Every structure is written in C-alpha cells, then in structure tokens.
Amino acid sequence: MSNNLETIVKLNGVHKIYKMGDEKIVALDNVNLDLKKGKIYCLLGVSGSGKSTLLNIIAGLEKPTKGEIVFKGKSIEKMSEKKLAIFRQRYIGFIFQSYNLMPTLTALENTTLPLIFRRTPKKIRTEKAVDMLKAVGLAKRYKHKPSQLSGGQQQRVSIARAFVNQPEIVFADEPTGNLDTKTTEEMMNLICGLAKKHNQTMILVTHNLELSVYCDEIIYIRDGKIEKTEDVSASKITFQQEVSVNE
C-alpha cells in the first residue's frame, strides 16, 4: 500500500497513567503512531496490554496524561467535552462486542440514532438508515427489536449504525467476540468491505490473531507500548464479500 496516503490521525508521545491510591498504573507508555486514511488497522494484544485504552484515547473518549493526538490537523486532547462530542458525532463510528443497541427501539430506530444527534431531517435519516440496513442484509428486519434478532443480526444493526453517518474513522472493539466462527467471517467481510468501499479508516481492537488477516497493518501492543508494526497489505488475502454493499 502506498506510503503517500493522507495521515488522518497522529499520536505524539502519548502516555496514559491511572492512579489507584498510591499506586500508578501505566496504561500507555510513550506511544507514537501515524494512521492513514483508508487503511484497516489491527490493534493486537492480550488483555491488559493497553489496546482498548489506546482506542479510547484516539476516539476522544479519554484524555491522555501526556502527549498529543492530532486528528485532521486538530489536537483533540485540548478540546472541551462539548467539542469532543461534536467531533465524535461528525467523524467517528463505533462497533462494540456487546452491540449496545437500545432494546426498546427497532432496527431502523437504532440505526438512525447517530443521524438524530446530528439533527438530520427525519425523512433523510430514515432513507439513509433503510439503505444501510439493506447493505448489511437486513432488508426484512427494519421493524424488529433486538430481542427479536439473532446475535449476528444484532451486530449487523450495530454495523449499520456505525456506518450510517459516513464517518471518517470506524472503531471496532472486539466486534466478533460474541459470535461463532461462520458469523465472525461474515461480519469481518462486511465491515471491511464497507470501509474499503468508502475509503474509511478502520481500527480493529482484538486479541485474536486470526482477525488480523482482514487488516492492512497490525500494531502489536504489550505493556502499554507499541512493540512493533507489521504491514500485511501486500500479502493479505482478498476476501469476497458475501453480502451486497450498496452505494
């Protein structure tokens, strides 16, 4: 993959230290990282390695103890909570292991939530949500609530919600942790296909090395430090998407 891609996120000397009484826990230790537009990254490490903390820092969910996170030329660690909320609404999508769907809302209503927060007119947000649900293979499940859907179907709604506002970066935190092997393959093909189709950056957090084959670059994390990075884009398998991804 070309090295001339636009840098969308740059981390400079990022530290994250938590205090528990008199004890200091170093979650991130001098992390320096450049993330390029349109690439799929895998943050790979065991539990407690710091990978989820790093995701939260990049997404603006937590502030670093020290260091700088530059997103499209702006230092997000200096933003107020209000500006961070607007930043996340405008630029970021999230896919979670536990789906995080609202149980009282239908698949369509769950998918429209990011657009409601952006004050998108109802007609437009409904049209966009319907298109995304079709894209993830839920054309006949618009009116179903989470309790009426399988785990795989709930994750498809979560994926539709993450992509509906066309974010520049999608964060996927152990997105297939609750799914069986076949459904995991379907979900990874789906989210990677969507990200590649729209030239979006995706950051996948996992402890599962097998999922790294879907990514362009693996970032190995151990004890809060980046141990090494590995560009696998040249040798990675090209996966045939199993569902139709519409414009």
Side-chain angles (χ1 to χ4, degrees):
M1 184 165 292
S2 171
N3 290 324
N4 296 322
L5 294 175
E6 172 192 351
T7 296
I8 193 167
V9 178
K10 186 176 182 67
L11 280 73
N12 298 316
V14 171
H15 295 74
K16 182 63 178 180
I17 299 172
Y18 297 101
K19 291 184 179 179
M20 298 184 66
D22 295 330
E23 185 180 3
K24 291 183 178 181
I25 299 174
V26 179
L28 295 177
D29 186 2
N30 194 33
V31 172
N32 297 282
L33 194 61
D34 283 9
L35 302 176
K36 305 291 186 179
K37 182 174 177 60
K39 289 188 72 171
I40 298 175
Y41 294 90
C42 175
L43 299 183
L44 186 67
V46 299
S47 179
S49 61
K51 59 186 186 297
S52 291
T53 300
L54 181 55
L55 181 148
N56 290 340
I57 290 283
I58 298 171
L61 295 172
E62 294 186 49
K63 289 185 180 289
T65 305
K66 179 183 177 182
E68 184 181 39
I69 306 100
V70 180
F71 178 87
K72 294 176 72 69
K74 296 182 179 180
S75 297
I76 65 173
E77 82 283 353
K78 297 178 181 177
M79 292 182 182
S80 65
E81 288 303 319
K82 183 177 181 180
K83 287 185 177 179
L84 277 171
I86 295 171
F87 158 76
R88 287 191 291 268
Q89 291 170 15
R90 185 172 299 170
Y91 297 113
I92 290 176
F94 291 97
I95 304 170
F96 301 98
Q97 177 178 343
S98 56
Y99 320 136
N100 284 15
L101 301 178
M102 299 292 287
T104 59
L105 301 183
T106 65
L108 180 63
E109 291 167 338
N110 268 287
T111 303
T112 61
L113 285 176
L115 300 173
I116 292 174
F117 296 141
R118 292 183 68 174
R119 299 183 179 179
T120 303
K122 184 176 181 180
K123 182 180 179 182
I124 295 174
R125 68 177 183 248
T126 299
E127 289 173 353
K128 287 186 174 184
V130 167
D131 286 345
M132 278 306 311
L133 287 169
K134 287 179 179 178
V136 301
L138 292 178
K140 298 180 180 180
R141 296 288 188 272
Y142 299 167
K143 297 181 180 179
H144 288 63
K145 293 182 178 179
S147 61
Q148 299 170 306
L149 300 171
S150 68
Q153 289 170 336
Q154 289 183 61
Q155 191 59 302
R156 286 175 186 268
V157 177
S158 174
I159 292 166
R161 181 185 59 194
F163 281 92
V164 73
N165 64 346
Q166 297 181 323
E168 298 221 21
I169 302 182
V170 176
F171 294 94
D173 193 357
E174 299 283 5
T176 61
N178 292 333
L179 304 175
D180 59 42
T181 301
K182 181 177 183 297
T183 309
T184 290
E185 292 174 356
E186 292 174 355
M187 294 304 103
M188 290 304 301
N189 280 322
L190 177 57
I191 61 178
C192 292
L194 286 166
K196 285 297 183 183
K197 184 177 181 64
H198 299 290
N199 197 32
Q200 293 160 302
T201 303
M202 188 168 77
I203 301 175
L204 167 70
V205 170
T206 185
H207 64 275
N208 186 353
L209 182 60
E210 292 181 3
L211 296 187
S212 68
V213 298
Y214 293 85
C215 301
D216 298 312
E217 186 169 319
I218 306 172
I219 301 167
Y220 295 87
I221 302 178
R222 182 187 295 271
D223 298 329
K225 297 180 180 180
I226 295 180
E227 198 171 37
K228 64 177 180 177
T229 61
E230 181 181 0
D231 188 343
V232 293
S233 57
S235 59
K236 72 182 236 184
I237 300 171
T238 300
F239 291 91
Q240 180 65 42
Q241 211 175 331
E242 296 183 6
V243 298
S244 174
V245 179
N246 300 316
E247 290 288 347

